Amino acid sequence: MSVNNLKKQLFGTNGVRGVIGESMTPELVMKIGLSLGAMRKGTIAVGMDTRTSGPALISALKSGLLSSGCNVVDVGILPTPALQYIVKNHYDAGAMITASHNPPEYNGVKIIDADGTEMDDEETIKLENILFSKSFEIKDWENVGSEIFAYEMINEYTDGIISKFTPVSKEMTIAVDPGSGPACLTTAKILSKLGCRVHTINGICDGTFPGRLPEPSLEGLKGLAELVVSTNAEFGVAHDGDADRAVFIDDTGNYLEENEEFALMQRYLCKNTKEGVVVTPVSTSNIVEEIACQTNCRVVYTKVGSIYVARKMLELEAKGENVLFGGEGNGGLIFPKHQYCRDGGMSAAAMLALISEEGKKLSELRKELPERYMLRDKIYAENPAQIISNIRTKLTDENLDLTDGIRINREDKWALLRPSGTEPFMRLFVEAKNKELAESFRDEIKRQI
Ligand code: MG
């Protein structure tokens, strides 16, 4: 059986994650280090988010890597995209200790390849096979790796973003909520250097997350919304626990839905080009198609997961296509002129440039987008893959897209049903012109199941 037909067992879409002391242990992380070291020779950069378990796990990771013979550069606390940027510029691979948006009791590992993208499925399966079969090697005293610390390298990332923009001509006020995560060290700095007056909430690194949880939810961002309104800010920006995603609060204190965020950025980046490509998963709003019609760009769809988007962007770029933008409708935006991965700090800087150049308030800009309503649902099922295959055979008269699970496209609405990779349920996305139409379409799909 080829590796393509095998399934990842340990790693999910974005690395391996678990509760500390239960499925996530220093022993497991050390074995991940040993296995990665067996696959990638040379120098590996390691970093972590602000979780309390970070120091324990990064020590285990380094122990594994050094024992395997790799050299290690420890770049300390930083956003995942900062590590990706540093790896792309200097190193043979990277590993990030993070559980992204998960609650404080979780932690995990994301593996970064030499081009700065997350390790693909095929390579991850190889890594798992080495780990499960323990076919790694522990080197002797003459061949163990050496370690250096380079906490200042985070500046290369912030400078890299700042250099891609012109500072704003008139001072703007921006509110920032890094959620006590690693963006405490980056986003406010980037925006200040670009000429903004920055107010911060949850701005001190703290793995107990005293202000809000690492997922930037509507509920958790109430403080940021109040800060935006009370300081008369142009917008508020918040990150998830490793700052690869950015979500926004408009100037009136309202949450900007992430598909609207994607569409506004798409329109801004594509409006002045003759032709180009935008890449996004099949779960993103149809607004992207409407923006594509307005701006001469073409949309290419992928499976759900930022890694599939990034790889598709690289593939199209290699074929000579003009790849302008990519990402997901969850606040994970990819700017190919910067790097091929989601980047929250870059998203914040790009939103500043957008507002500054469009000369309009964010609350006004979002009103220019077509109205759409998307709902997301979870359906519990013992065997989701089987159910989805059964539904597929029933829906022969429909316009179906099988890129990921099953997407039913109709005139003015669509629904996507896909199995969860790790748990016994299916995810359902439904989008229509308004809430009532979306709910009735959802009920129709549930009856089919
Ligand atoms: Mg994340």
Side-chain angles (χ1 to χ4, degrees), residues 104-402:
E105 64 272 24
Y106 283 77
N107 213 338
V109 189
K110 280 185 186 180
I111 310 285
I112 314 299
D113 246 324
D115 62 1
T117 61
E118 280 178 54
M119 185 177 261
D120 68 19
D121 290 348
E122 207 165 306
E123 290 296 294
T124 303
I125 290 166
K126 280 186 202 164
L127 188 142
E128 287 187 350
N129 287 342
I130 294 172
L131 193 153
F132 293 135
S133 65
K134 296 197 179 89
S135 49
F136 39 69
E137 201 187 337
I138 295 177
K139 300 284 185 185
D140 63 19
W141 71 277
E142 283 177 305
N143 294 297
V144 288
S146 63
E147 177 188 24
I148 59 166
F149 293 85
Y151 293 170
E152 73 290 350
M153 285 192 91
I154 192 173
N155 298 327
E156 193 175 311
Y157 164 74
T158 50
D159 290 346
I161 293 176
I162 293 161
S163 70
K164 289 180 182 71
F165 298 91
T166 317
V168 289
S169 48
K170 142 180 147 305
E171 190 184 72
M172 284 185 177
T173 302
I174 310 293
V176 176
D177 181 351
S180 312
C184 293
L185 308 173
T186 51
T187 297
K189 182 183 162 191
I190 292 166
L191 296 173
S192 304
K193 291 238 175 147
L194 290 173
C196 298
R197 183 185 172 84
V198 179
H199 296 281
T200 305
I201 180 171
N202 302 316
I204 295 170
C205 292
D206 187 337
T208 66
F209 303 100
R212 67 164 173 89
L213 290 172
E215 172 65 22
S217 66
L218 201 55
E219 179 65 27
L221 298 188
K222 280 189 177 148
L224 178 64
E226 280 166 21
L227 185 63
V228 167
V229 173
S230 67
T231 59
N232 237 334
E234 291 294 331
F235 62 81
V237 56
H239 299 292
D240 70 324
D242 67 337
D244 52 0
R245 289 192 288 137
V247 298
F248 295 88
I249 301 286
D250 74 14
D251 51 291
T252 61
N254 286 311
Y255 192 87
L256 179 69
E257 204 274 326
E258 294 94 324
N259 284 287
E260 293 181 343
E261 171 190 340
F262 188 93
L264 285 176
M265 198 56 76
Q266 178 193 2
R267 192 177 70 167
Y268 168 65
L269 295 171
C270 299
K271 69 178 175 186
N272 293 325
T273 41
K274 282 223 173 61
E275 61 183 57
V277 184
V278 169
V279 184
T280 197
V282 283
S283 53
T284 304
S285 168
N286 245 12
I287 302 178
V288 296
E289 282 298 334
E290 300 183 43
I291 300 289
C293 291
Q294 293 168 19
T295 58
N296 285 332
C297 70
R298 179 167 63 90
V299 184
V300 172
Y301 293 95
T302 68
K303 281 171 71 172
V304 177
S306 65
I307 176 177
Y308 304 114
V309 177
R311 302 250 163 218
K312 179 56 83 178
M313 289 172 81
L314 281 164
E315 183 193 316
L316 293 168
E317 184 79 45
K319 284 183 186 161
E321 297 254 23
N322 182 22
V323 182
L324 297 168
F325 179 52
E328 306 171 296
N330 65 1
L333 309 182
I334 305 176
F335 300 85
K337 287 196 172 68
H338 172 54
Q339 60 176 345
Y340 285 89
C341 65
R342 297 179 294 182
D343 192 326
M346 182 67 188
S347 305
M351 184 60 83
L352 175 69
L354 183 156
I355 294 291
S356 165
E357 277 180 46
E358 302 265 13
K360 288 181 189 169
K361 297 283 182 190
L362 188 51
S363 58
E364 293 166 17
L365 288 167
R366 68 190 304 185
K367 282 191 200 135
E368 296 172 4
L369 295 172
E371 248 179 85
R372 288 273 159 184
Y373 183 83
M374 192 189 286
L375 62 82
R376 298 170 175 90
D377 210 343
K378 259 187 190 180
I379 302 167
Y380 286 86
E382 278 305 318
N383 193 346
Q386 187 58 48
I387 291 177
I388 287 171
S389 144
N390 291 348
I391 293 172
R392 192 156 70 195
T393 53
K394 278 199 222 168
L395 299 176
T396 42
D397 297 336
E398 299 270 2
N399 173 7
L400 301 182
D401 179 325
L402 305 177

Side-chain angles (χ1 to χ4, degrees), residues 373-376 414-416 428-432 437-438 441-442:
Y373 183 83
M374 192 189 286
L375 62 82
R376 298 170 175 90
W414 60 267
L416 172 71
L428 177 64
F429 297 72
V430 180
E431 187 184 60
L437 289 170
F441 193 24
R442 174 196 59 196

